[in-house]
């Protein structure tokens, strides 16, 4: 038995090493190429943090357009010369391998089996979109690692108050890397509150129990600590811009892109906003004015078109589960890529849904409930703005964890029946 576990552990480490090496090769071949505007911004800000010790944008202007943490992380490698972009991408390779390791631990703790851990790591190893994303200077893989670590802590039975403080600290940093995670924190906090394993009282008695206050304390601490971390950056924005900016000044544009006359469920930022661009140019709007203008435009459209807004919202919810997106950079679109993405994602989604039909025979564990609630719940929060495959990447690790646990349960069930 020990020999078997030793073999599985060796296989696990081989898979983790393989994930790192494949991502590394992918990143080396992608070289210093920067494809998207977001990448350019992150690199520019990271260089300015290193050289000027200030958070400055591409044109050396004071900005809050991008969230601060990821460029701060990248700035640790800005001292490297002409190959710094490759080095930054290699950092993503490390984050990817660590994320695979963390989700393997989550699955192992729930199943008490190295087999499920190996299955989880194997699926991550053959999931192509992770490698493509790691070759881009986006914060998604870094965010996936942070969220995986937070989830591992949250799912620990009877996590101490200090543990929730640390989890809240990490979640605050996560929001400062990917602001959209602010929409997920209520789901996580509610899960902690209603989770039957966090205290000895049952869900049915939660509101009548004298332990209600103590039960609410941990998720409250978690949220407050996360809020405190974010507010530190908010204070910087208030000092610099003399106004309230929670994290970044791109929320208005993101809201407009997902809620406007030309918005489409699968278009993302690839929509026609020529009219708005002309208004911005005529009025010479700055960063703050543009953000507020886009917010006003989006809110105005929502109020004037409630039925269209609702219809578009649910289309965006469904688009969260899409295997492909219309690309802003058209030469990045490829039918071959779409086929690969379809074959890698749709079977996982099918198995995750299929798992729900076996709840009677195989009840969901606390970990599985968390994975389902977060993964599918995020579809509804993300659709407030707009849904993209890239934004879903940090959550696809949860989907893989769901499928891994299901496959392991099926294997165990067949073995037990055969015995």
């Amino acid at each position: 038995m020990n020999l078997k576990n030793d073999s599985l552990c060796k296989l696990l480490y081989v898979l983790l090493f393989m994930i790192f090496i494949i991502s590394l090769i992918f990143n080396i071949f992608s070289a210093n190429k920067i494809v998207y505007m977001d990448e350019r911004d992150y690199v520019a800000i990271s260089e300015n943090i290193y050289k000027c010790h200030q958070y400055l944008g591409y044109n050396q202007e004071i900005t809050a357009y991008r969230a601060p943490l990821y460029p701060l992380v990248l700035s640790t490698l800005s001292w490297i010369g002409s190959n710094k972009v490759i080095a930054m991408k290699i950092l993503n390779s490390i984050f990817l391998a660590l994320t695979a390791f963390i989700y393997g631990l989550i699955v192992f703790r729930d199943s008490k089996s190295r087999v499920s851990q190996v299955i989880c790591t194997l699926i991550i190893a053959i999931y192509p979109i992770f490698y493509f994303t790691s070759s881009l200077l986006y914060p998604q893989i870094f965010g996936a690692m942070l969220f995986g670590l937070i989830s591992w802590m949250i799912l620990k039975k009877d996590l101490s108050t200090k543990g929730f403080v640390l989890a809240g600290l990490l979640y605050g940093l996560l929001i400062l890397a990917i602001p959209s995670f602010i929409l997920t924190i209520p789901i996580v906090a509610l899960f902690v509150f209603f989770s039957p394993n966090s205290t000895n009282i049952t869900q049915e008695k939660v509101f009548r129990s004298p332990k209600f206050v103590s039960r609410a304390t941990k998720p409250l601490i978690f949220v407050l600590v996360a809020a405190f971390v974010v507010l530190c950056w908010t204070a910087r924005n208030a000092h610099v811009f003399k106004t309230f900016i929670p994290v970044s000044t791109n929320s208005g544009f993101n809201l407009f892109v997902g809620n406007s006359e030309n918005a489409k469920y699968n278009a993302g930022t690839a929509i026609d906003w020529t009219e708005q661009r002309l208004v911005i140019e005529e009025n010479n709007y700055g960063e703050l004015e543009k953000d507020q203008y886009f917010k006003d435009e989006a809110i105005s459209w929502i109020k004037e078109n409630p039925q269209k807004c609702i219809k578009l919202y649910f289309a965006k919810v469904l688009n969260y589960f899409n295997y492909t997106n219309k690309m802003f950079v058209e030469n990045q679109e490829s039918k071959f890529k779409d086929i690969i993405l379809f074959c890698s994602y749709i079977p996982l989604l099918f198995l995750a849904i299929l798992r729900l039909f076996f709840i009677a025979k195989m009840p969901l564990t606390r970990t599985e409930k968390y994975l389902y609630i977060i993964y599918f719940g995020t579809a509804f929060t993300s659709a407030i703005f707009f849904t993209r495959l890239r934004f879903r990447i940090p959550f696809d690790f949860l989907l893989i964890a769901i499928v891994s646990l299901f496959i392991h349960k099926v294997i165990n069930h067949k073995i037990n029946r055969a015995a």
Side-chain angles (χ1 to χ4, degrees):
M1 186 66 182
N2 289 333
L3 181 62
K4 181 180 179 182
N5 283 331
D6 288 344
S7 299
L8 289 173
C9 284
K10 289 178 182 178
L11 177 58
L12 176 66
Y13 292 131
V14 168
L15 289 172
L16 289 171
F17 183 69
M18 186 179 77
I19 290 170
F20 173 73
I21 292 299
I22 294 174
S23 177
L24 182 66
I25 293 171
F26 210 97
N27 288 334
I28 290 174
F29 274 99
S30 68
N32 288 308
K33 182 172 65 174
I34 293 178
V35 179
Y36 300 101
M37 183 179 66
D38 305 49
E39 296 181 274
R40 181 205 68 179
D41 288 348
Y42 287 127
V43 173
I45 294 170
S46 67
E47 288 181 346
N48 289 327
I49 290 173
Y50 174 71
K51 293 177 181 178
C52 307
H53 306 292
Q54 294 186 66
Y55 190 85
L56 303 175
Y58 188 78
N59 296 316
Q60 300 289 312
E61 78 283 2
I62 295 176
T63 183
Y65 191 74
R66 301 292 179 189
L69 186 60
Y70 189 60
L72 180 62
V73 171
L74 294 181
S75 70
T76 61
L77 299 175
S78 292
W79 57 272
I80 299 175
S82 58
N83 291 321
K84 64 175 173 290
V85 172
I86 296 178
M88 291 173 178
K89 291 180 179 181
I90 292 173
L91 194 59
N92 275 348
S93 299
I94 297 173
F95 293 150
L96 177 58
L98 288 174
T99 307
F101 177 70
I102 292 168
Y103 275 93
L105 289 179
I106 291 173
V107 167
F108 171 72
R109 187 166 61 189
D110 184 70
S111 64
K112 306 293 190 299
S113 170
R114 291 291 178 195
V115 174
S116 63
Q117 187 177 9
V118 169
I119 292 172
C120 180
T121 310
L122 175 61
I123 296 175
I124 292 174
I126 61 175
Y127 199 64
I129 191 65
F130 290 155
Y131 298 113
F132 174 71
T133 307
S134 72
S135 71
L136 303 174
L137 292 178
Y138 282 153
Q140 267 62 43
I141 297 297
F142 174 64
M145 182 190 69
L146 283 180
F147 189 66
L149 185 56
I150 293 164
S151 298
W152 180 79
M153 296 176 68
I154 291 293
L155 290 169
K156 183 179 179 182
K157 186 175 181 180
D158 297 322
L159 183 65
S160 67
T161 301
K162 290 182 180 179
F164 276 101
V165 170
L166 180 57
L169 175 64
L170 291 174
Y171 205 102
L173 293 174
L174 176 60
I175 293 172
L176 293 181
I178 306 176
S180 60
F181 269 95
I182 200 169
L183 300 172
T184 309
I185 194 169
I187 305 175
V188 177
L190 286 172
F191 173 84
V192 173
F193 179 76
F194 287 105
S195 172
N197 280 2
S198 59
T199 66
N200 293 324
I201 58 177
T202 62
Q203 291 184 19
E204 290 78 8
K205 297 180 179 180
V206 62
F207 293 110
R208 293 180 293 166
S209 171
K211 294 185 178 180
F212 171 81
V213 174
S214 62
R215 190 183 183 97
T217 299
K218 289 181 178 178
L220 183 61
I221 289 173
F222 170 70
V223 172
L224 289 178
V225 172
F228 174 78
V229 173
V230 175
L231 285 173
C232 291
W233 178 251
T234 305
R236 173 267 183 189
N237 290 339
H239 175 73
V240 172
F241 294 99
K242 310 302 179 185
T243 189
F244 178 73
I245 305 171
V247 181
S248 60
T249 55
N250 62 14
S251 59
F253 181 69
N254 290 337
L255 186 65
F256 169 79
V257 164
N259 301 275
S260 59
E261 186 63 33
N262 295 321
K264 294 179 176 60
Y265 71 92
N266 194 30
T269 57
I271 66 169
D272 181 11
W273 52 284
T274 305
E275 182 181 338
Q276 288 74 26
R277 183 183 287 111
L278 292 174
V279 172
I280 290 169
E281 291 174 355
E282 288 174 4
N283 291 278
N284 195 28
Y285 285 156
E287 186 175 304
L288 296 181
E289 291 81 7
K290 284 193 289 186
D291 185 49
Q292 189 59 50
Y293 171 67
F294 281 124
K295 285 179 182 175
D296 293 341
E297 285 287 289
I299 293 171
S300 176
W301 183 82
I302 291 170
K303 289 179 178 178
E304 294 172 4
N305 303 274
Q307 292 183 338
K308 287 184 179 179
C309 178
I310 293 172
K311 183 178 179 180
L312 179 60
Y313 171 79
F314 284 104
K316 289 185 290 182
V317 170
L318 291 176
N319 186 60
Y320 174 86
F321 305 101
N322 204 338
Y323 65 90
T324 187
N325 287 144
K326 178 177 174 59
M327 305 297 289
F328 180 77
V329 180
E330 292 187 2
N331 62 9
Q332 292 298 304
E333 294 184 357
S334 164
K335 288 185 178 180
F336 179 67
K337 284 182 181 179
D338 286 348
I339 292 172
I340 293 176
L341 291 173
F342 178 89
C343 293
S344 59
Y345 176 69
I346 297 301
L348 294 178
L349 183 62
F350 172 77
L351 287 173
I353 295 172
L354 181 65
R355 165 70 178 95
L356 297 175
F357 289 92
F358 292 88
I359 289 179
K361 291 183 178 180
M362 296 181 287
L364 294 176
T365 64
R366 180 170 178 262
T367 296
E368 287 179 299
K369 290 176 184 177
Y370 174 85
L371 296 172
Y372 271 105
I373 290 169
I374 299 298
Y375 189 77
F376 289 92
T378 302
F380 294 90
T381 56
S382 299
I384 295 172
F385 292 87
F386 63 99
T387 49
R388 300 288 285 170
L389 175 57
R390 172 164 67 94
F391 300 157
R392 199 192 66 216
I393 292 301
F395 301 99
D396 276 0
F397 288 94
L398 282 76
L399 179 67
I400 290 172
I402 290 171
V403 172
S404 302
L405 290 170
F406 179 42
I407 292 174
H408 178 255
K409 288 178 186 292
V410 170
I411 292 173
N412 274 353
H413 180 69
K414 288 186 176 181
I415 290 174
N416 291 335
R417 285 189 63 183

